[in-house]
């Protein structure tokens, strides 16, 4: 494989990453082995159970953090990094919501296009019918 100029100056790295689903019901054996992963799963599950929206997300993250601390879940980590956790979750949920909204907008636009296509097809059929009548009258 030929290297381009930037690769020859800086080198390159090929990386394979294994992604593991740590949602409840998936890879339970791994979650039982790792208190941190199981704590993270519990934290996110609790946050999702509150069904956060953009308007309530900050408060829901704060509420979940308070719940997590009271349950001794991720207590050391959250005590030291609560601000970073809140910031990261605000960003993550905002991106997820933006993607959901994009999908909704695309679906709505697709529906509008389908309606317009159907209306155009009806008009095309009417035009063809009228052209056929005109042609029949000429003949």
């Amino acid at each position: 494989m030929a290297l381009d100029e930037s690769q020859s100056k800086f080198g390159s790295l090929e990386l394979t990453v294994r992604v593991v689903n740590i949602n409840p019901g998936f890879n339970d054996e791994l979650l039982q082995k790792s208190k941190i992963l199981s704590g993270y799963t519990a934290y996110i599950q609790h946050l999702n159970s509150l069904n956060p929206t953009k308007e309530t997300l900050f408060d829901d993250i704060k509420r979940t953090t308070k719940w997590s601390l009271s349950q001794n879940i991720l207590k050391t980590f959250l005590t030291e990094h609560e601000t970073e956790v809140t910031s990261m979750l605000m960003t993550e949920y905002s991106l997820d919501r933006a993607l959901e909204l994009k999908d909704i907008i695309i679906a709505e636009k697709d529906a509008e296009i389908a309606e317009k296509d159907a209306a155009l097809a009806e008009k095309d059929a009417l035009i063809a019918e009228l052209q056929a009548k005109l042609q029949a009258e000429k003949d």
Side-chain angles (χ1 to χ4, degrees), residues 5 15 20-22 38 51 54 79 83-85 90 93 107 110 115 125 130 132 135:
E5 188 176 322
L15 178 67
V20 179
N21 187 344
I22 59 169
S38 65
N51 196 18
K54 184 178 180 183
T79 301
T83 303
E84 294 92 339
V85 168
M90 290 290 294
Y93 275 81
D110 286 347
E115 285 178 25
L130 292 172
Q135 186 62 39

Side-chain angles (χ1 to χ4, degrees), residues 14 22 25 30 38 41 47 50 58 65 69 77 80-82 85 89 91-93 97 99-102 109 117 121 139:
E14 186 173 320
I22 59 169
L30 176 63
S38 65
T41 298
L47 178 60
L50 300 175
F58 183 79
T65 299
L69 292 170
F77 185 82
E80 295 175 16
H81 302 285
E82 181 179 352
V85 168
L89 288 171
T91 301
E92 179 181 328
Y93 275 81
R97 184 64 182 143
L99 290 173
E100 288 174 15
L101 290 174
K102 181 193 78 149
K109 292 296 178 190
D117 284 347
D139 294 337

Side-chain angles (χ1 to χ4, degrees), residues 12-70:
S12 63
L13 173 69
E14 186 173 320
L15 178 67
T16 302
V17 177
R18 181 176 174 219
V19 178
V20 179
N21 187 344
I22 59 169
N23 285 308
F26 298 90
N27 297 299
D28 290 333
E29 186 178 318
L30 176 63
L31 293 175
Q32 290 172 359
K33 291 180 183 177
S34 174
K35 188 175 181 178
I36 293 172
L37 282 179
S38 65
Y40 175 78
T41 298
Y43 183 96
I44 296 300
Q45 186 176 16
H46 188 271
L47 178 60
N48 287 336
S49 74
L50 300 175
N51 196 18
T53 64
K54 184 178 180 183
E55 292 78 26
T56 65
L57 181 57
F58 183 79
D59 292 333
D60 288 344
I61 292 169
K62 291 293 187 184
R63 207 173 337 201
T64 299
T65 299
K66 186 176 180 179
W67 168 85
S68 186
L69 292 170
S70 74

